[in-house]
Amino acid sequence: MNYDSIRSTSAKGTVRTLSQQEELPLLRDHLLRLDRTSRHDRFHGFIDDSFIRRYAERCANDGTVIIAYFEDGVVRGAAELHPPEQSPDVQPEIAFSVERSARRKGVGSTLFRKLIAEAHAKGYGSLRITTGAQNDAMRALATKFGAQLTFRHGESTGSIDLTEQQQPEPVPAAVAAVTPVEAARAIVDMNRAYWRMVMQISGWGRAA
């Protein structure tokens, strides 16, 4: 699949992965800001604030990966990658939410691409997605990324076979951000490669 065709072109924010514990309030507050219709679409029902608070807290403790879209330091969109052990069919499940103010900017596509890249990195072979039957935007987005959806019990459920898809390309620089941990890891890796090259050139470490 050619992910270039659905690349974000108008989103001006940044995308990065949230830390599990420290940034819990960012996900929670984003979900609480969803309007009534968006909340219904995201949680397949009119869910109250207390449920959302408990849900966000669970995500912070069960290994769920949260990829967030930021505008001016505020999370306006989120993609969730839930670990397979949290699913009854032992299949990692994904979910998305975008606030109205950030829609029609390609945010959903950007988050989807980033999430699929994360799933590839974890070695997952498939992803499960469930969305409300009335959530046309989410169903259309899932279909773009190869989801085979079926309608049942008032919702659309489907899966994405990652083994049949090419590795997604990196998120555009205009909407990408590197976390401090990722930056530190990259520096360590670069230093290791540099000294390995120096040792090889100097003959150090070679067997006598």
Side-chain angles (χ1 to χ4, degrees):
M1 177 178 293
N2 182 5
Y3 288 88
D4 278 339
S5 62
I6 47 180
R7 176 173 293 173
S8 171
T9 57
S10 57
K12 298 180 179 179
T14 58
V15 173
R16 65 175 176 83
T17 302
L18 300 183
S19 61
Q20 285 287 300
Q21 293 290 340
E22 294 83 353
E23 297 184 303
L24 163 65
L26 299 178
L27 172 65
R28 179 199 63 204
D29 294 347
H30 158 65
L31 294 175
L32 287 172
R33 280 193 300 271
L34 295 176
D35 60 84
R36 186 178 179 86
T37 300
S38 300
R39 189 179 292 195
H40 179 276
D41 289 342
R42 170 61 188 81
F43 293 103
H44 320 306
F46 295 102
I47 308 302
D48 61 19
D49 290 357
S50 61
F51 172 88
I52 290 180
R53 291 189 178 94
R54 293 193 302 272
Y55 175 84
E57 183 176 359
R58 187 183 69 185
C59 288
N61 291 283
D62 66 4
T64 297
V65 176
I66 306 295
I67 300 169
Y69 169 75
F70 285 81
E71 285 186 354
D72 299 323
V74 179
V75 174
R76 297 298 184 185
E80 305 165 20
L81 177 59
H82 297 269
E85 56 267 23
Q86 301 297 325
S87 174
D89 59 2
V90 197
Q91 186 179 24
E93 185 168 5
I94 60 178
F96 296 82
S97 53
V98 179
E99 295 177 33
R100 285 193 178 277
S101 63
R103 292 180 185 173
R104 301 185 183 279
K105 300 178 180 180
V107 173
S109 294
T110 298
L111 290 173
F112 219 125
R113 291 174 56 249
K114 179 70 172 176
L115 185 143
I116 288 181
E118 181 72 24
H120 271 289
K122 289 182 174 295
Y124 294 151
S126 63
L127 300 171
R128 180 158 64 90
I129 184 169
T130 302
T131 184
Q134 304 302 318
N135 193 348
D136 295 335
M138 189 67 250
R139 289 193 290 114
L141 184 60
T143 300
K144 282 184 178 181
F145 282 85
Q148 303 296 321
L149 299 174
T150 58
F151 177 80
R152 186 179 183 184
H153 301 310
E155 62 185 21
S156 295
T157 303
S159 62
I160 300 174
D161 186 352
L162 298 180
T163 64
E164 295 182 357
Q165 298 191 31
Q166 68 182 44
Q167 179 73 19
E169 298 177 10
V171 175
V175 294
V178 178
T179 65
V181 173
E182 292 171 336
R185 186 180 297 118
I187 292 173
V188 170
D189 291 341
M190 182 177 65
N191 286 339
R192 285 176 178 171
Y194 171 79
W195 285 112
R196 189 180 301 115
M197 179 184 66
V198 170
M199 291 177 68
Q200 289 175 348
I201 293 174
S202 303
W204 299 344
R206 293 178 181 173

